[in-house]
Amino acid sequence: MTLYVIGSINMDLSIQIDKMPQIGETRLGSHFLATPGGKGANQAVAVQKSGGKAVMVGCIGGEFGQDLREAFISAGVDMQNVTMIPDISSGLAIIIIEGNNNRILIDPGANGQVTKALIDQALEAALPGDILLTQLEIPLEMVCYALECAKKKRMTTFLNPAPALALPDSVFPNVDYLLPNQTEAAFYTGIYPIQEDSIRACAFHLLKKGVKNVLITLGESGSWLFGEKEVRMGIYPINVVDTTAAGDTFIGAFAAKLASGWLEEDAMRYAAKAASITLSRQGAQKAIPTEAEVTAVEGKE
Ligand code: RIB
């Protein structure tokens, strides 16, 4: 089964700081890192490193394009549907890491150039049962189009609604798995999911919109799936170094394992272990663990 990831490809420039600067203030940081990222690309790499077969669909630019291309090659992601647009920059993310939190600022650059023609070309070979995985860092019209095409082809669709932005009501019935974090879930429902009551209320609100399943990631409280099945999963505690791409790791790993026929609870457990390893390392794609590293994680969630 193939997983088509239609989404963003960014170069991440990250710096760690002790305290956010005020307006007009300059502060010193440390641990500068330039590393391939982007929610789409991170999820594709997580799929591939989790034993899945990822096809990346997106655009890179002249600036940083070669580095981003090499990252896909070294992870083994199929990039025949990644278009290079030489005269603009690749997507760029400025990441400021403060303790266990990060703040991300994005210039979409080439990510804004994804077209219907590119999506059509990529999905031409897709078969019923293949997976489409997308996020909101490419133009919304393209996300809606990709989900619509995938449903027509009887693919299983995953939407990670990040970063949160208003979606047309027509999009939700085309989503088999909606995967928001707490902030995103609150954006779409007006309910911040923190305790059982609010988590359930939030999930049912989203299910009523027409998505088949909702999987909310809850940070230190783990994750909770609602829909055809209900599954609650904890976390694997670890020393947190950088939260960047932990959610992407969870989503890509979960999708890869579902594609391999795993039960949702087993796929969530694997994804929780994988995300815990990403949290313990700095960077995005370079922090995502291989299957062998995940399998070596011991203990219970
Ligand atoms: O989810 C983490 C990612 O968000 C980063 O890699 C950054 O590029 C932004 O897309």
Side-chain angles (χ1 to χ4, degrees), residues 143-227:
V143 173
C144 298
Y145 180 72
L147 289 166
E148 211 180 290
C149 294
K151 276 326 309 169
K152 282 190 189 139
K153 285 183 163 271
R154 290 188 288 127
M155 297 171 74
T156 304
T157 55
F158 286 60
L159 174 63
N160 168 219
L165 54 95
L167 294 173
D169 286 343
S170 58
V171 87
F172 295 103
N174 286 333
V175 178
D176 293 312
Y177 288 88
L178 185 75
L179 302 113
N181 67 15
Q182 283 166 298
T183 314
E184 291 141 12
F187 176 88
Y188 292 106
T189 62
I191 306 162
Y192 193 86
I194 187 143
Q195 266 152 0
E196 180 163 352
D197 285 359
S198 54
I199 295 169
R200 283 186 183 282
C202 195
F204 288 114
H205 198 294
L206 292 166
L207 289 171
K208 264 177 79 181
K209 285 179 184 277
V211 303
K212 217 180 254 168
N213 301 280
V214 177
L215 174 45
I216 308 178
T217 51
L218 300 158
E220 287 175 3
S221 303
S223 58
W224 205 330
L225 171 73
F226 297 87

Side-chain angles (χ1 to χ4, degrees), residues 8 10-12 36-39 42 93 95 104 106 137 244-245 248 284:
S8 58
N10 296 336
M11 179 56 84
D12 290 356
K39 293 188 197 305
N42 296 345
I95 304 183
I104 305 183
I106 291 173
E137 285 185 345
T244 309
D248 297 331

Side-chain angles (χ1 to χ4, degrees), residues 92-110:
L92 193 73
I94 307 287
I95 304 183
I96 301 179
I97 303 163
E98 183 189 17
N100 284 353
N101 298 307
N102 66 22
R103 290 178 172 81
I104 305 183
L105 182 65
I106 291 173
D107 180 341

